[in-house]
Amino acid sequence: MTSVFLSWRWWVIAALLLAGCRPVAPPPPAVATPDATVTIDVIAFGSCARQTKPQPIWDAVLATAPDLFVFLGDNVYGDTTDMAELRRAYALLAAQPGFQRLRATTPVVATWDDHDYGLNDVGGDYPAKYGSREVFLDFWGEPPDSERRLRNGGIYTAYAFGPEERRVQVILLDTRWDRSPLARVSDEEHRRRRAHNIGPYTANLDPDARLLGEDQWAWLEAQLRQPATVRIIATSIPFAQEGTGWEIWANFPAERARLLRLLAETRANGVLFITGDTHRAQFSRLDAGAPYPLWEVNSSGLTENVDPRSGGAGRQPLRGLFRRRQFWADHNRLVRRGSDDRLGNPRCGKSPRAAPRSAFERAAALTLSKFMRTIHAPFIMAYNGWPTACPPSMRKVAPVVKLDAGEAR
C-alpha cells in the first residue's frame, strides 16, 4: 500500500516538474470567423507596423469602432531566419497598448508581406518559411486544425460576413510563399531611377514566373465563384500600380493578366483591392484587360511613411505627420491639390488649428464613391499611419474616407 502511494505521489511530482519546465502559453486571441449573422459596416485596414515604434494610430482606429480590421502585411519587421527572433518581434507588437485594445474589441484578420514572412523582398526561396508560418499562425490565434496550417501554398484564406443581401467576402492572398525571384534592372539604370524614387525591379517575362502557386490559384477560383455583394481582395503588394520599380503585381505581368481573366471567367462582381507595402496612400484604377474598372486602395503604413519628393536620397521618412499631398489617384497620377497640411493635424511645435475639408479628402471621397455607387456598397474605411515625433496631444488622425450608402461624408 505504501509503495503504491509513493508511486502515485512521485507521478504527481514528476508531472508538476515537467509542467514547470516549459512556459505556459496564454490562450490564443479570438479570431474573426465567417458568420452570416454579422453585418459589416466599417472595415479598417493597414500595413507596415514597426513593432519597435510607438503606435498611436490605434487610438484613431478604435475611435471609429470598426467591425473588422485587416492587417495587410509587414505587421512586424522580423527580417530574420531565426524563429526565436521572429517571435520576439511579435511579442513587441503584442505589448503595444493600442494593439491590445484592438484585439480585445475588434475582429482581426491578417496576411503577411516580406518583413513578417522572412526577409526584405524575399519570395518562395526563403529557407525558413515553414517555421515562419507556424509563428505567424500561432500569433494570430489560428487553431491547430486550421486549413491555413495544413494546406499547400501558403497562408491564404477567406472570410464571409453578413446576410446574403449584404454579403462581404474578404479574400487574403499570399504573395510570398511561391513567388519566383524578382527581375532587376542594371545597376546603371537603377542609379538613374533613384533620382525619381523608382525602385530596382522590372517585369519578369519568364513564362514560368509566378506570384501565386497552383494550389492558391485553384482555391482562389473557387472563392470567386462564391456569392457576395462586395469582394475585398487583400494582397500585400499593389495590384493596379505600374512603373514604381518596387514590388507590385506588374512585375509578374502573366500573373496579373491571369487574375484579370479569372475575374472575368468567374463573373466575380464588386471587387475592390486593398493593398499595402508602399509606405504611402494611393488610389488606383485599372481598366486595361479588366472585366470592369477595378479600384485599389493602398493603405500604408501604420507607423512607416515616406516622402516621394526625396529625390536622389531615396525613400525618406517624413519628419512631420502624414501629408495630404502624398495622395495618388485615378490612373496613378499624382494629385497635387490644396495645401500641404496634415490630416487636420498641426506641424510639430506649432499650435493646433482646425482644418477645413481638404482637396485630398474630397478627391478620395469622389474616387471611392464612384466605385461604391457602381456596386451599391455602403461601407469602406482606410487608415494610414504617420511618424510619431509629435507630442501625444497633437497625435490626431482622420480616416482617409468613410462612405455610407454610397455617399461620401
Side-chain angles (χ1 to χ4, degrees), residues 224-225 231 261-271 291-292:
L224 292 174
R225 294 187 185 278
R231 303 176 195 276
R261 290 195 304 272
L262 187 60
L263 294 177
E265 292 168 2
T266 59
R267 299 184 179 181
N269 60 298
V271 170
Y292 49 86

Side-chain angles (χ1 to χ4, degrees), residues 26-351:
V31 176
T33 56
D35 186 344
T37 66
V38 175
T39 298
I40 297 293
D41 292 312
V42 177
I43 299 174
F45 54 96
S47 63
C48 305
R50 193 173 293 273
Q51 69 278 4
T52 56
K53 290 185 177 181
Q55 297 183 3
I57 186 68
W58 301 121
D59 294 335
V61 172
L62 291 168
T64 57
D67 300 307
L68 181 70
F69 191 93
V70 182
F71 281 88
L72 294 167
D74 291 343
N75 310 313
V76 297
Y77 284 70
D79 296 304
T80 182
T81 57
D82 182 346
M83 294 303 100
E85 184 65 27
L86 185 58
R87 288 187 187 276
R88 283 192 286 271
Y90 278 109
L92 289 175
L93 174 61
Q96 291 277 354
F99 178 80
Q100 292 175 356
R101 295 196 303 274
L102 177 77
R103 291 309 311 265
T105 60
T106 306
V108 167
V109 297
T111 189
W112 59 18
D113 201 27
D114 51 341
H115 295 287
D116 45 350
Y117 166 67
L119 300 168
N120 184 48
D121 293 349
V122 76
D125 56 348
Y126 175 58
K129 60 185 180 182
Y130 286 95
S132 180
R133 179 173 68 176
E134 180 180 358
V135 172
F136 176 93
L137 297 176
D138 286 349
F139 179 79
W140 295 109
E142 289 284 345
D145 59 348
S146 169
E147 60 183 7
R148 301 179 87 181
R149 295 183 186 272
L150 304 175
R151 65 186 171 202
N152 296 324
I155 60 163
Y156 53 91
T157 192
Y159 305 87
F161 301 93
E164 183 176 355
E165 66 275 10
R166 285 176 61 90
R167 180 70 45 80
V168 180
Q169 185 185 42
V170 179
I171 298 173
L172 307 183
L173 299 182
D174 184 336
T175 60
R176 294 292 161 185
W177 191 271
D178 284 313
R179 199 212 69 198
S180 298
L182 295 163
R184 298 178 65 98
V185 299
S186 67
D187 291 343
E188 181 181 357
E189 173 63 18
H190 187 206
R191 283 193 294 271
R192 288 195 294 266
R193 286 179 168 205
R194 290 186 65 185
H196 305 285
N197 194 30
I198 299 175
Y201 302 127
T202 188
N204 187 336
L205 302 180
D206 183 342
D208 295 325
R210 60 185 183 180
L211 193 56
L212 310 183
E214 289 303 319
D215 291 307
Q216 188 170 181
W217 277 115
W219 169 87
L220 179 58
E221 178 177 356
Q223 292 301 317
L224 292 174
R225 294 187 185 278
Q226 298 296 317
T229 303
V230 178
R231 303 176 195 276
I232 297 176
I233 299 180
T235 170
S236 63
I237 60 174
F239 180 79
Q241 297 177 31
E242 297 179 353
T244 69
W246 304 107
E247 287 203 84
I248 51 178
W249 274 73
N251 291 337
F252 296 88
E255 292 285 88
R256 188 166 77 154
R258 181 175 180 176
L259 181 48
L260 294 176
R261 290 195 304 272
L262 187 60
L263 294 177
E265 292 168 2
T266 59
R267 299 184 179 181
N269 60 298
V271 170
L272 172 68
F273 286 89
I274 60 174
T275 65
D277 183 57
T278 63
H279 297 188
R280 66 171 181 243
Q282 178 165 332
F283 289 75
S284 305
R285 191 180 79 184
L286 180 63
D287 295 292
Y292 49 86
L294 293 172
W295 292 95
E296 173 189 300
V297 186
N298 184 257
S299 183
S300 175
L302 294 166
T303 65
E304 307 301 292
N305 283 307
V306 294
D307 190 344
R309 297 168 297 173
S310 57
R315 300 195 296 176
Q316 299 296 322
L318 288 174
R319 296 301 180 187
L321 300 179
F322 186 81
R323 302 186 179 200
R324 283 199 177 95
R325 289 179 69 179
Q326 276 188 255
F327 171 65
W328 296 62
D330 190 8
H331 298 295
N332 301 320
R333 292 176 296 180
L334 184 61
V335 171
R336 293 287 190 183
R337 303 180 190 177
S339 66
D340 196 32
D341 52 15
R342 275 93 159 142
L343 289 178
N345 295 282
R347 185 189 294 270
C348 295
K350 294 187 177 182
S351 59

